[in-house]
């Protein structure tokens, strides 16, 4: 009889411990979710209230790109690749 009482008490203690751990993890997760929601609301409010900034592209400090040549370099490379493919098919 004493063994049966010990087993029942052990099972109840185990269920209580598991429930406590699951409850704590759940509480922490809810705090994280609520914090993220508050941060998102504050960020979106700040973003919507801020004045619109112009999105102009400003030239960088680097040198200007070279002027376009008579033939585009991409087109030259495409011709070279096409010629290689023709040679592979034919040979």
């Amino acid at each position: 009889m004493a063994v049966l009482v010990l087993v029942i008490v052990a099972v109840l203690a185990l269920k209580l411990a598991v429930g406590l751990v699951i409850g704590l993890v759940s509480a922490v997760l809810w705090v994280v979710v609520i914090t993220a929601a508050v941060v998102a609301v504050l960020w979106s409010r700040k973003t919507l209230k801020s004045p619109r900034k112009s999105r102009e592209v400003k030239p960088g400090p680097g040198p200007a790109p070279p002027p376009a040549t008579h033939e585009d370099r991409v087109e030259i490379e495409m011709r070279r690749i096409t010629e290689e493919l023709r040679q592979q098919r034919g040979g």
Side-chain angles (χ1 to χ4, degrees):
M1 186 69 154
V3 173
L4 182 63
V5 170
L6 285 176
V7 169
I8 291 173
V9 169
V11 168
L12 289 174
L14 186 63
K15 285 181 85 172
L16 183 64
V18 169
L20 181 66
V21 169
I22 290 175
L24 287 174
V25 169
S26 177
V28 168
L29 288 176
W30 274 112
V31 167
V32 169
V33 167
I34 291 170
T35 303
V38 168
V39 168
V41 166
L42 292 175
W43 173 81
S44 63
R45 185 173 176 229
K46 182 187 83 157
T47 302
L48 290 174
K49 284 193 170 194
S50 68
R52 300 226 178 229
K53 297 178 182 175
S54 76
R55 306 260 182 204
E56 294 177 16
V57 176
K58 298 177 182 175
T69 58
H70 179 64
E71 286 191 74
D72 188 58
R73 293 180 187 190
V74 174
E75 188 172 330
I76 293 171
E77 186 65 21
M78 288 300 294
R79 284 186 197 156
R80 186 186 66 77
I81 293 171
T82 305
E83 188 60 36
E84 283 181 11
L85 288 173
R86 283 187 191 146
Q87 289 175 359
Q88 288 177 359
R89 288 184 196 153

